[in-house]
């Protein structure tokens, strides 16, 4: 499919906004950090988890020119750890959102197009999955498989996340299925799959994609929460949630007094990345649906 | 002459939520010759759109259909059995009422052509583009429209695009369902002229549905007036306009404002009857100023004179000819 000019237009208009630029810079920096971590990290080995030989003497050093963000409980450079952790963070949230988007789009548009039995089954299913908290599912998966790893985070988050996309795309699609071009295509005997693909999915994809971009941050938050609880990635894995958790586990609440950098910096990175995705997606959404941005101008 | 459309006792009803059948078309017989431009005129709820949709083959699945319908020599409707394969989109094509909502907002005009031509004639993208350009030229648009999205076009251009799409698959019959209802008076004249031209130049059979009897007169050479699911008067456009016989047609013509002529516009009081039960009386009984006892029985379509092509469904059309409304 050739790039739609509507999409380009939206991108162009949004890119003029300061928020979009800030968001873009944050996201680009994070992605670059994740990709280039082995080359730009000051102590790449330590970033991957190797404890330095003189680790004993370097435990919990405060930020200094040698260790810009200080060292952790095993004496490793925190900045290197955080740089490598960006990989895990971006990977988890991207995979979760992409899977959820695909499932949600398909379920939502099918529910809206095939009315009656299919619609009620799919909407009930959607509501069922919306009701389950991802942390509980993560706990179950962790206990059932008994191995920590990416699968716990991705499966548990996708299972709960797709339902939101299914709900939103269902609502979007519901407004489209009654339009003339869908009804006429249906009456003319076009294959239902073709109608859904050509006339429904295609139309709802753009707003859904923007929604997905802004949700990348929220998915990162949730993934970090699961990792923080120790349910997802294994101990010592470079991930912001895991690093945060380890800081707190070793030192409990005293961490905030004895080594605040250990909990503050990973948390800060989670926060900034989430913010970056939100800043990036918000102007896009406004441009895609101009009523959102123009409404307040009418009011004042 | 080959008949483009031949309908024999076509009845179409819709099932509503309470499983009752609401008959929209209650027995229509008509013959439309190939190359004719035929107009179906009537008020809202008279079944004119349903009849046109039946000919176009786009009735919803909950419609109940009886009677026989032959399109271009092919029996497409035989007492409830539908077989529009090879007819719909290839022989009969349809111009929708609202071009704005009938075009996919996320597809360029060129893609609209491509998908339709691929599905009906399995053409490649390049061939489809060539035919799209040809069709657009015929409706007075140029190449730049091909790459545009529907929202970048004006209402009149959108309507022209839908007409171009309708003629792209080289159909023999075109159904236009109130093609001028969503454009202003100036564009209306343009669209009507365009339809007229297509009818003459491409030899298309044009079936137009409208509630505006004068725009019907501008395009068509035959007019059928529908009322409560039945044809009440049908004939050559001149005969019908200058010598209307059915009281409904006369009232319809009488209530059109004429530029420069001051006349009181009489409204037609009352409502069309509900269509749940089978109506045995004349469909115009409740509202007709000339209703008498005989009108309790439904009249038949009778020829007005010996030429037999102007027919009217009224018991009193002969005696009423001289009576003022």
């Amino acid at each position: 499919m050739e790039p739609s000019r509507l999409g380009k237009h939206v991108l162009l208009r949004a890119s003029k906004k300061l928020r979009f630029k800030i968001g873009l810079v944050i996201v680009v920096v994070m992605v670059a950090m994740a990709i280039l971590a082995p080359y730009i990290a000051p102590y790449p080995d330590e970033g991957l988890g190797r404890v330095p030989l003189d680790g004993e003497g370097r435990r919990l050093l405060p930020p200094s020119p040698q260790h810009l963000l200080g060292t952790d409980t095993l004496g490793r450079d925190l900045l290197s750890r955080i740089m490598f952790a960006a990989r895990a963070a971006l990977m988890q949230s991207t995979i979760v959102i992409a899977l959820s988007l695909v499932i949600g789009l398909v379920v939502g548009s099918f529910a809206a197009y095939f009315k009656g039995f299919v619609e009620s089954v799919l909407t009930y299913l959607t509501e069922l999955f919306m009701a389950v908290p991802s942390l509980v599912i993560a706990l179950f998966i962790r206990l059932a498989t008994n191995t920590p790893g990416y699968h716990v985070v991705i499966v548990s988050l996708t299972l709960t996340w797709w339902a939101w996309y299914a709900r939103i795309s269902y609502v979007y699609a519901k407004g489209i299925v009654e339009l003339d071009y869908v009804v006429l295509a249906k009456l003319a005997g076009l294959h239902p799959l073709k109608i859904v693909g050509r006339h429904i999915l295609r139309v709802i994809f753009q707003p859904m994609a923007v929604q997905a971009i802004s949700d990348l941050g929220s998915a990162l938050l949730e993934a970090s929460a699961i990792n923080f609880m120790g349910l997802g990635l294994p101990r010592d894995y470079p991930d912001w949630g895991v690093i945060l958790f380890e800081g707190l586990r070793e030192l409990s609440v005293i961490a905030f007094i004895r080594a605040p950098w250990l909990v503050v910096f990973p948390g800060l990175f989670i926060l900034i990345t989430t913010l970056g995705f939100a800043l990036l997606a918000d102007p896009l959404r406004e441009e895609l649906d101009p009523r959102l941005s123009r409404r307040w101008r009418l009011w004042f | 002459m080959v008949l483009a459309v031949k309908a024999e006792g076509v009845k179409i009803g819709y099932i509503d939520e309470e499983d009752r059948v609401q008959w929209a078309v209650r027995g229509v017989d008509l013959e439309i010759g190939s190359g004719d431009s035929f107009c179906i005129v009537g008020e809202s709820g008279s079944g004119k759109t349903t009849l046109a949709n039946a000919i176009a083959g786009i009735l919803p699945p909950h419609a109940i259909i009886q009677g026989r319908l032959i399109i271009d020599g092919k029996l497409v409707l035989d007492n409830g059995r539908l077989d529009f394969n090879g007819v719909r989109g290839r022989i009969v094509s349809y111009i929708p009422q609202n071009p704005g909502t009938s075009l996919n907002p996320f597809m360029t005009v060129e893609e609209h052509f491509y998908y339709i031509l691929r599905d009906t004639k399995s053409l490649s993208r390049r061939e489809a583009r060539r035919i799209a350009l040809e069709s657009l030229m015929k409706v007075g648009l140029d190449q730049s429209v091909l790459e545009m999205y529907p929202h970048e076009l004006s209402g009149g251009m959108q309507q022209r695009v839908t007409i171009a799409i309708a003629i792209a698959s080289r159909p023999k019959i075109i159904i236009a369902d109130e093609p001028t209802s969503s454009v202003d008076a100036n564009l209306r004249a343009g669209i009507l002229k365009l339809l007229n031209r297509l009818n003459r130049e491409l030899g298309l059979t044009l079936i137009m549905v409208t509630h505006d009897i004068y725009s019907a007169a501008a395009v068509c050479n035959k007019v059928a007036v529908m009322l409560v699911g039945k044809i009440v008067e049908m004939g050559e456009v001149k005969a019908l306009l200058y010598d209307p016989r059915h009281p409904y047609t006369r009232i319809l013509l009488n209530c059109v404002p004429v530029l420069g002529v001051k006349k009181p516009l009489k409204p037609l009081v009352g409502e069309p009857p509900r269509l749940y039960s089978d109506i045995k009386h004349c469909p115009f009984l409740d509202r007709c100023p000339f209703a008498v006892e005989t009108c309790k029985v439904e009249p038949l379509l009778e020829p007005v004179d010996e030429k037999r092509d102007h027919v009217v469904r009224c018991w009193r059309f002969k005696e009423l000819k001289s009576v003022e409304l």
Side-chain angles (χ1 to χ4, degrees):
Chain A
M1 197 175 81
E2 57 201 38
S4 119
R5 277 195 291 140
L6 195 65
K8 258 191 211 163
H9 171 78
V10 166
L11 215 61
L12 204 74
R13 292 278 300 273
S15 65
K16 291 198 178 112
K17 295 194 175 165
L18 185 65
R19 277 179 298 161
F20 184 83
K21 287 177 188 160
I22 296 174
L24 195 67
V25 167
I26 294 175
V27 170
V28 166
V29 165
M30 290 298 167
V31 171
M33 203 168 80
I35 294 170
L36 300 175
Y39 308 107
I40 58 171
Y43 305 88
D45 286 355
E46 294 172 25
L48 281 168
R50 199 174 63 88
V51 181
L53 292 175
D54 55 344
E56 283 291 324
R58 281 167 51 183
R59 278 185 185 169
L60 296 175
L61 291 180
S64 65
Q66 282 82 41
H67 303 284
L68 281 174
L69 301 183
T71 57
D72 67 2
T73 47
L74 293 174
R76 292 171 298 193
D77 180 49
L78 194 61
L79 179 64
S80 308
R81 297 279 292 159
I82 284 177
M83 279 181 165
F84 274 92
R87 300 178 147 193
L90 292 178
M91 198 154 87
Q92 290 168 61
S93 46
T94 316
I95 292 176
V96 165
I97 292 294
L99 283 178
S100 312
L101 187 63
V102 171
I103 302 172
L105 275 173
V106 170
V107 170
S109 49
F110 271 69
Y113 181 76
F114 298 101
K115 296 170 187 127
F117 182 68
V118 178
E119 182 181 14
S120 23
V121 167
L122 288 180
T123 42
Y124 278 131
L125 207 66
T126 308
E127 276 159 19
L128 187 75
F129 276 97
M130 278 167 106
V132 193
S134 55
L135 269 178
V136 175
I137 296 187
L139 187 66
F140 274 118
I141 295 172
R142 178 74 172 81
L143 291 175
T145 59
N146 211 14
T147 41
Y150 277 112
H151 64 275
V152 180
V153 181
I154 288 167
V155 171
S156 63
L157 276 184
T158 307
L159 273 182
T160 49
W161 215 281
W162 71 267
W164 293 99
Y165 291 148
R167 166 63 68 86
I168 303 169
S169 40
Y170 171 73
V171 173
Y172 274 124
K174 201 75 185 150
I176 293 165
V177 288
E178 292 305 326
L179 287 183
D180 283 354
Y181 67 88
V182 181
V183 174
L184 286 174
K186 193 198 287 183
L187 292 179
L190 191 64
H191 195 276
L193 288 178
K194 276 189 183 173
I195 297 180
V196 170
R198 193 182 292 173
H199 293 312
I200 298 178
L201 274 181
R202 199 167 164 170
V203 176
I204 63 177
F205 180 75
Q206 282 197 9
M208 289 303 295
V210 170
Q211 176 72 38
I213 293 175
S214 73
D215 280 354
L216 278 169
S218 324
L220 171 64
L221 271 182
E222 287 247 358
S224 300
I226 292 173
N227 289 327
F228 176 76
M229 303 295 258
L231 299 173
L233 296 173
R235 274 183 69 178
D236 227 29
Y237 198 89
D239 174 90
W240 293 335
V242 176
I243 297 173
L244 236 171
F245 171 55
E246 266 163 26
L248 278 182
R249 193 185 49 184
E250 289 291 316
L251 307 164
S252 78
V253 193
I254 316 163
F256 287 107
I257 304 145
R258 270 198 62 200
W261 58 91
L262 211 51
V263 283
V264 168
F265 287 122
L268 211 59
F269 270 83
I270 295 172
L271 181 78
I272 290 174
T273 314
T274 310
L275 188 73
F277 283 124
L279 286 177
L280 189 69
D282 224 34
L284 277 181
R285 197 191 346 238
E286 276 173 16
E287 283 306 324
L288 209 59
D289 189 359
R291 280 167 299 175
L292 282 179
S293 58
R294 297 213 179 112
R295 196 169 295 146
W296 66 269
R297 277 182 212 155
L298 284 178
W299 285 349
F300 294 101
Chain B
M1 192 170 64
V2 188
L3 285 178
V5 178
K6 184 172 163 59
E8 291 168 6
V10 171
K11 287 179 81 175
I12 303 160
Y14 296 112
I15 304 174
D16 64 5
E17 283 82 20
E18 287 132 48
D19 273 345
R20 289 183 300 179
V21 180
Q22 187 161 14
W23 292 102
V25 175
R26 303 182 301 125
V28 164
D29 301 274
L30 57 82
E31 292 183 352
I32 302 171
S34 177
D36 267 0
S37 53
F38 190 87
C39 221
I40 305 171
V41 185
E43 60 190 359
S44 306
S46 63
K48 55 190 194 309
T49 300
T50 304
L51 180 62
N53 285 353
I55 298 171
I58 49 170
L59 285 173
H62 57 271
I64 293 179
I65 308 153
Q66 292 171 7
R68 279 154 64 86
L69 185 65
I70 299 164
I71 291 177
D72 199 47
K74 188 175 190 291
L75 187 63
V76 292
L77 199 164
D78 188 10
N79 270 328
R81 236 193 52 241
L82 281 171
D83 180 17
F84 271 94
N85 286 346
V87 173
R88 177 170 45 208
R90 293 175 175 84
I91 291 172
V92 190
S93 159
Y94 178 82
I95 301 172
Q97 188 170 356
N98 303 313
T101 53
S102 302
L103 297 169
N104 186 333
F106 279 76
M107 267 160 59
T108 58
V109 171
E110 191 246 343
E111 282 174 280
H112 278 95
F113 280 99
Y114 167 58
Y115 284 126
I116 284 159
L117 289 171
R118 193 185 65 180
D119 284 357
T120 55
K121 303 208 152 173
S122 51
L123 292 182
S124 73
R125 189 127 198 173
R126 275 184 60 196
E127 285 172 283
R129 196 185 165 87
R130 189 176 53 77
I131 289 180
L133 199 57
E134 260 173 43
S135 317
L136 286 174
M137 296 285 192
K138 278 180 196 149
V139 299
L141 295 171
D142 60 12
Q143 194 169 7
S144 62
V145 175
L146 274 180
E147 301 305 324
M148 288 189 178
Y149 287 89
H151 69 93
E152 296 172 293
L153 305 168
S154 69
M157 285 163 93
Q158 286 175 349
Q159 188 60 275
R160 279 166 193 272
V161 166
T162 57
I163 293 173
I165 291 172
I167 61 171
S169 60
R170 305 261 169 82
K172 292 181 180 164
I173 304 165
I174 279 197
I175 318 273
D177 186 1
E178 305 204 20
T180 56
S181 64
S182 58
V183 292
D184 65 35
N186 187 21
L187 284 168
R188 179 177 308 163
I191 299 275
L192 291 177
K193 245 182 229 164
L194 171 67
L195 288 173
N196 210 350
R197 194 163 55 81
L198 292 175
N199 170 241
R200 267 184 293 113
E201 287 177 7
L202 305 178
L204 289 167
T205 309
L206 176 71
I207 300 173
M208 193 168 99
V209 172
T210 179
H211 49 248
D212 177 7
I213 199 161
Y214 278 99
S215 66
V219 178
C220 300
N221 54 23
K222 276 191 91 175
V223 179
V225 180
M226 276 189 82
L227 180 66
V228 202
K230 289 212 166 176
I231 290 176
V232 293
E233 190 164 7
M234 179 160 64
E236 297 286 322
V237 67
K238 269 193 185 137
L240 207 123
L241 284 188
Y242 291 120
D243 185 21
R245 293 306 184 91
H246 197 276
Y248 178 65
T249 318
R250 291 172 68 179
I251 291 169
L252 208 62
L253 287 168
N254 212 22
C255 68
V256 178
V258 180
L259 193 66
V261 179
K262 260 196 173 172
K263 61 171 185 179
L265 296 175
K266 277 187 216 151
L268 178 55
V269 290
E271 273 182 32
R274 310 290 294 163
L275 298 168
Y276 286 114
S277 53
D278 205 14
I279 297 165
K280 292 280 190 294
H281 55 76
C282 169
F284 201 42
L285 175 71
D286 308 334
R287 292 177 287 167
C288 184
F290 310 118
V292 290
E293 198 58 32
T294 38
C295 295
K296 293 239 164 97
V297 181
E298 186 160 37
L300 298 170
L301 267 182
E302 283 181 70
V304 170
D305 46 31
E306 50 281 356
K307 275 193 294 174
R308 304 189 68 83
D309 54 357
H310 184 184
V311 287
V312 63
R313 191 188 288 276
C314 183
W315 290 121
R316 303 182 67 202
F317 70 90
K318 281 196 183 108
E319 46 186 301
L320 290 176
K321 198 185 171 194
S322 48
V323 181
E324 272 297 305
L325 270 174

